[in-house]
Structures are given as C-alpha cells and as structure tokens.
Amino acid sequence: MSDSWAVAVDLQESTTPSVQFARLRKVARVAAPCSTREDINGNIQPESSEKGGSRKFCDQTDLAEQSLLNKMIRRSLVRNRNQVEVLQRDPTSPLYSVKSFEELRLKPELLRGVYEVMEFNRPSKIQESALPMMLAQPPQNLIAQSQSGTGKTAAFSLAMLSHVNPENKWPQCLCISPTYELALQIGQVIEHMGKFCPDVTLAYGIRGNRMKRGVNLQAQIVIGTPGTILDWCTKLKLIDPKKITMFVLDEADVMIATQGHRDQSIRIHRHLTKECQMLLFSATFEDSVWSFAERVVPDPNIIKLKREEETLDTIKQFYVICKEKEDKFTSLCNLYGSLTIAQAMIFCHTRKMAAWLAENLSAEGHQVALLSGEMTVEQRAAVIERFKNGLEKVLVTTNVCSRGIDVEQVSLVVNFDLPVGLDGRADNETYLHRIGRTGRFGKRGFAVNMVDSRHSMGIIHEIEMHFERTITELDTSNLEEMESLIS
C-alpha cells in the first residue's frame, strides 16, 4: 500500500463529501513539506514543533500553496473515486475485500469457531471490508462506521484473536467500551469465537473485578471500561501499555459524549506506542467524533456511511399519538396483544418511569425484566442473562441498554419516552442505537414511538429530517390497520 493514500471505503456505490474528505487526509499530509496539520474542515493549519528549545512555524505563503494543492487533489479524487478504491478490488492487495472467511487465511481453529460456534456463513458487508484492513501486514489503522447489528463486534473480535501470539503470556490486545454490559458482550463473542484456541485467554477490566497491584496478568486480550482499564495501566500496573500491539475503541460517540470516558480513553491512548494498531468503531459519526478520532488514530483507513443509510432498512418505524402515560400504556398493551413478538425492549427516560411501567406490565401478566443504572453490576448482568435466555420476554430499561446489547430474538423496540438531549432537542444518535436493538443481521423488526405532546411530535419530525426517513402514524386501537401496516 502506498504511503500517500488513506483508503476510504464506501459501503454503498454512491459517495459523499465527508467520504471524499476522508480520502484526502493522508494526501494533504504528504503534500505538505513543513510541519502542518489538517483541521476538521479539511483546511491546512500550521503545527508548532520544538527542536532545541525553539518553536518553528510554516510560512503563510507555503500554507496558501498547500491549501490550494489540497483542494486540487480533492477535486481530482472526486472526479475519479476508483483511484483510491482500486486497492480493495485488486486481489494482490492486502486490503482486497473478501467474500469468504477462507480468503482471510485464518488459523484453522479460528475458522472452526467462525463456522461451528458462531454459525456464520459468509462475512457481512462491514466484515468483508474491514477485516482485510485489520489483518493486513504491516498493520493498518482503521476508523469504521457501521450500523448496529451488522457484525462489527465479531469483526474486531476476530481481528484480536488473529493478532495475538499465544506464546506470549501478557496483554497484547486491549479493547475498551463505554459500559459494563457491552464489555461483557464483547468478551462473550471472543470466548465463543476462540473456543478452539485454548492458549488464548481473556481478562475483563471491569468494575467489580478486583485485582491486586503488580499481579502477573497473563491474558493476551483485555476487555473493559475506560476507568478500570486506566487503573490497570497506571495504578495497579497489571498492563504494560508498551506491550499492547492492538487497541480497539468501541462506541466512540458514547466515549466522547461522556467527559470522563473521553478523558480516560485519551489518557490510555497516550501510554501506547506509536506502532500500536488503532481500531475505532461507532454507529454514528458527528464532527466531534471525527475530531476525537483524529487525535487517537493516525493515518487511518476509513469506512463511513451516508447519513440516510444509518437507519436500518429492515426496521419499520411508527409513532402512536397518546395523551399521558396511562394512554401510552394502553397503546402498548394493544400493540403487544396484536403482534407476534419474540421479545421486546421498551425504553424510558427515567428510572421512576421504567419502574412504574415494569410494575404495570407485570400486573397485566407479562414476563418483564427491569434494568436501570442504579442496579449493581451483578444485578444488571443477571437481568441481561435472563433476558437473553428468554426467561423474560419484555425488558424495560433506560438508556443504559441502548447500545450494543445484542439479543437476536428482539423483534420490537418501543420508545415509551422519546430520546432527547439536554437542550430538549432530538437525540438522534441514541434513537439510532435504541431501534438498532431490533432488525439484527437483516431480520425484520419494528420500532414504535409514543408521542404525548406537541413537543414530542416535533422530536419525531427532527428524527425524520435527520435520517431522511418517514415515520408512519399507527393507530393501535384499529387492529385491521395495524395488521396491514406491520405485515
């Protein structure tokens, strides 16, 4: 792979300005003869350097020339996108997209895990594009956007299992995620996929897993949350960051939205070597995520979706007009009584509302589980395990479960309360992650939003505009209409 390119892979045939911009990142850096950096808008900016105690800045004339050159390169690449995507179509390239797991030349024991345990038939779209990059030699850095339920967790889990040297009994791959539940789920994928790799071990760097300072941690893969992982790297000295050769950051948009997670993630990154392979994943990419990604992933390959592709086509989205919570509850019962539902997840804005709803659903005879942030780690793990095993058919929760929790049988997601930000506007990213709990791996799913005011109707319109999708009104009191819309 030429050093002068950062390959951007479009998951669809069309291209967008943001993808085109991504293709130019490394070009601009190579074209600039002096020390520069590119800001989030693609403009060349001077970058100070220190040598012998003095600071040196680029000449403004040079900057103007570099900016012009950058724009010229951008225009030429927009005219001919095949120049940068040819590497993914060339079978001799290490970044060649694959159509089967055999093409990745995986170890036989990993192939057995993929087929026999995970029961995969062929790579998903994100897997066929991302895995060659993650497994390439020399290692390639990657920033990837992928819809929920498309197999990104399995992709980077397979990359970590392929990457480690089982003979080295120390942490080599490090993965951080924003929640305890998601860390556990990632670990379970690794354990299942690596079933036939007995020499590869896994450790969970999560709250409640108490470790003593200086313990000789022999696990090659460590999965955890930012705060605990940072402690293991700095205070407890369980992980030597200089020996980490692959770093995976999952759900990047959540990381930067939570200031503590963002700061801890950056501090962990600072302890790693420049040679460490960096992989960053998220279902959404706003400007703030790109800015964060630039800080932690140098010279990346980039996979990005167009905004209108972010919502899954397999999920039918509806809204129901209600007056108050009791009206919402009646509509929910009508909906649940008329649909063939394997399992359902219902999202509430507050713990109090979630508790009220769970109690009333139980009184109606439904098998209900309740999950909220004030529960202990052990309680939350037990609730999720029961729900995954089908012991409860309905999970009532707050946003603690909006990300990454993968239960294949979930066919219905209900936003009992619509997701809103602190500014009172639609929280589009949380909406996307919530409804992404259904429609997994191409299966059909339904998302129903309860609208109880003019303001919440405005939230629905904001979501429609953001994703450029229509959300259809549903009358839950009209059984025939419901059956025709959801069939």
Side-chain angles (χ1 to χ4, degrees):
M1 179 178 176
S2 170
D3 281 344
S4 62
W5 300 103
V7 180
V9 182
D10 216 340
L11 297 189
Q12 302 293 329
E13 285 300 314
S14 57
T15 189
T16 65
S18 56
V19 175
Q20 294 158 2
F21 158 69
R23 292 176 180 152
L24 296 159
R25 297 165 47 82
K26 200 171 182 182
V27 178
R29 291 196 182 100
V30 173
C34 57
S35 180
T36 65
R37 63 179 175 84
E38 202 176 69
D39 66 20
I40 194 66
N41 297 313
N43 301 315
I44 294 291
Q45 300 290 344
E47 188 173 72
S48 64
S49 62
E50 299 209 12
K51 190 172 183 181
S54 63
R55 300 179 69 85
K56 182 178 179 180
F57 292 90
C58 298
D59 184 87
Q60 293 299 318
T61 304
D62 291 339
L63 289 178
E65 292 175 354
Q66 291 152 21
S67 181
L68 177 61
L69 177 60
N70 188 31
K71 292 174 182 176
M72 291 170 63
I73 294 171
R74 180 180 289 116
R75 285 196 291 271
S76 68
L77 288 183
V78 169
R79 286 196 298 269
N80 188 2
R81 67 194 294 270
N82 293 328
Q83 290 184 55
V84 291
E85 291 195 347
V86 67
L87 286 169
Q88 280 235 309
R89 295 198 303 272
D90 179 3
T92 64
S93 166
L95 303 186
Y96 177 62
S97 292
V98 296
K99 299 300 180 183
S100 72
F101 289 104
E102 283 81 2
E103 293 177 62
L104 295 168
R105 301 190 178 118
L106 299 171
K107 299 172 186 176
E109 54 269 30
L110 279 179
L111 270 180
R112 282 189 68 191
V114 167
Y115 288 126
E116 295 181 25
V117 183
M118 303 302 292
E119 298 183 347
F120 291 162
N121 295 317
R122 62 178 299 277
S124 67
K125 189 66 178 178
I126 183 67
Q127 290 166 356
E128 72 177 46
S129 297
L131 277 167
M133 296 182 187
M134 292 190 280
L135 299 177
Q137 291 296 330
Q140 304 286 320
N141 292 337
L142 175 66
I143 298 174
Q145 180 186 21
S146 178
Q147 300 158 326
S148 298
T150 53
K152 66 182 175 68
T153 300
F156 65 71
S157 296
L158 187 58
M160 287 191 285
L161 285 164
S162 301
H163 186 83
V164 300
N165 181 350
E167 296 181 2
N168 295 335
K169 304 300 182 182
W170 61 73
Q172 301 161 46
C173 295
L174 184 59
C175 174
I176 60 174
S177 66
T179 67
Y180 163 90
E181 289 83 5
L182 186 52
L184 280 184
Q185 184 165 289
I186 293 169
Q188 288 170 356
V189 171
I190 294 172
E191 288 175 358
H192 292 155
M193 198 178 288
K195 179 180 179 180
F196 303 108
C197 306
D199 295 331
V200 178
T201 55
L202 171 69
Y204 290 93
I206 53 179
R207 180 164 50 95
N209 188 5
R210 296 178 178 85
M211 301 286 284
K212 294 182 179 180
R213 177 183 172 86
V215 168
N216 184 20
L217 187 62
Q218 297 189 359
Q220 293 96 347
I221 300 175
V222 180
I223 313 293
T225 48
T228 301
I229 293 297
L230 182 60
D231 284 345
W232 282 22
C233 290
T234 56
K235 295 179 181 178
L236 299 181
K237 306 293 184 183
L238 303 177
I239 299 172
D240 183 353
K242 304 304 179 188
K243 291 184 177 180
I244 297 296
T245 51
M246 178 181 282
F247 177 63
V248 180
L249 196 153
D250 194 22
E251 302 288 356
D253 50 341
V254 186
M255 294 293 191
I256 67 164
T258 308
Q259 184 172 355
H261 286 345
R262 180 190 62 208
D263 296 343
Q264 290 160 351
S265 300
I266 291 173
R267 288 179 63 190
I268 293 168
H269 170 261
R270 286 174 180 166
H271 285 87
L272 304 174
T273 65
K274 293 181 179 179
E275 291 73 32
C276 180
Q277 185 177 7
M278 306 288 177
L279 309 175
L280 185 147
F281 292 84
S282 180
T284 56
F285 273 125
E286 300 299 324
D287 286 348
S288 57
V289 179
W290 280 116
S291 179
F292 175 79
E294 287 186 322
R295 297 183 63 179
V296 299
V297 188
D299 301 319
N301 298 300
I302 297 169
I303 298 175
K304 193 174 188 300
L305 292 174
K306 294 190 299 180
R307 173 165 289 175
E308 60 269 25
E309 292 163 358
E310 290 178 355
T311 52
L312 296 176
D313 290 330
T314 53
I315 302 175
K316 290 190 174 183
Q317 301 172 60
F318 302 96
Y319 70 87
V320 179
I321 299 294
C322 307
K323 294 180 180 179
E324 51 191 2
K325 66 178 182 180
E326 287 78 13
D327 197 18
K328 288 184 182 180
F329 179 75
T330 300
S331 296
L332 180 60
C333 291
N334 290 343
L335 180 70
Y336 203 86
S338 58
L339 278 177
T340 302
I341 298 169
Q343 287 181 278
M345 292 182 68
I346 306 173
F347 289 95
C348 300
H349 188 59
T350 65
R351 300 170 185 173
K352 183 177 179 181
M353 183 63 77
W356 176 88
L357 181 58
E359 181 180 351
N360 280 270
L361 284 170
S362 296
E364 288 288 321
H366 296 288
Q367 297 168 292
V368 181
L370 174 63
L371 184 68
S372 57
E374 83 280 3
M375 299 170 69
T376 66
V377 167
E378 292 77 15
Q379 289 172 330
R380 288 158 69 174
V383 168
I384 290 175
E385 191 65 23
R386 287 179 61 84
F387 184 63
K388 284 186 174 182
N389 292 334
L391 299 178
E392 279 90 25
K393 300 299 183 184
V394 182
L395 178 63
V396 179
T397 182
T398 55
N399 278 341
V400 71
C401 239
S402 66
R403 308 238 176 190
I405 304 304
D406 188 3
V407 180
E408 189 175 342
Q409 294 78 21
V410 172
S411 56
L412 172 67
V413 168
V414 177
N415 285 315
F416 199 79
D417 296 314
L418 297 177
V420 295
L422 295 176
D423 58 359
R425 297 177 63 84
D427 185 342
N428 298 302
E429 286 66 44
T430 295
Y431 178 82
L432 174 62
H433 282 285
R434 282 185 181 184
I435 71 169
R437 299 312 98 211
T438 187
R440 311 291 285 179
F441 282 97
K443 293 186 177 182
R444 189 177 66 165
F446 302 96
V448 177
N449 303 283
M450 299 296 183
V451 174
D452 60 1
S453 66
R454 186 173 295 178
H455 176 256
S456 57
M457 192 68 241
I459 298 297
I460 291 293
H461 291 324
E462 286 184 49
I463 292 170
E464 287 181 315
M465 291 176 63
H466 181 85
F467 294 111
E468 299 181 10
R469 297 295 174 94
T470 299
I471 301 176
T472 307
E473 183 176 359
L474 187 66
D475 182 359
T476 57
S477 64
N478 188 330
L479 181 59
E480 290 185 3
E481 179 185 319
M482 270 206 299
E483 288 179 346
S484 65
L485 286 173
I486 64 182
S487 61

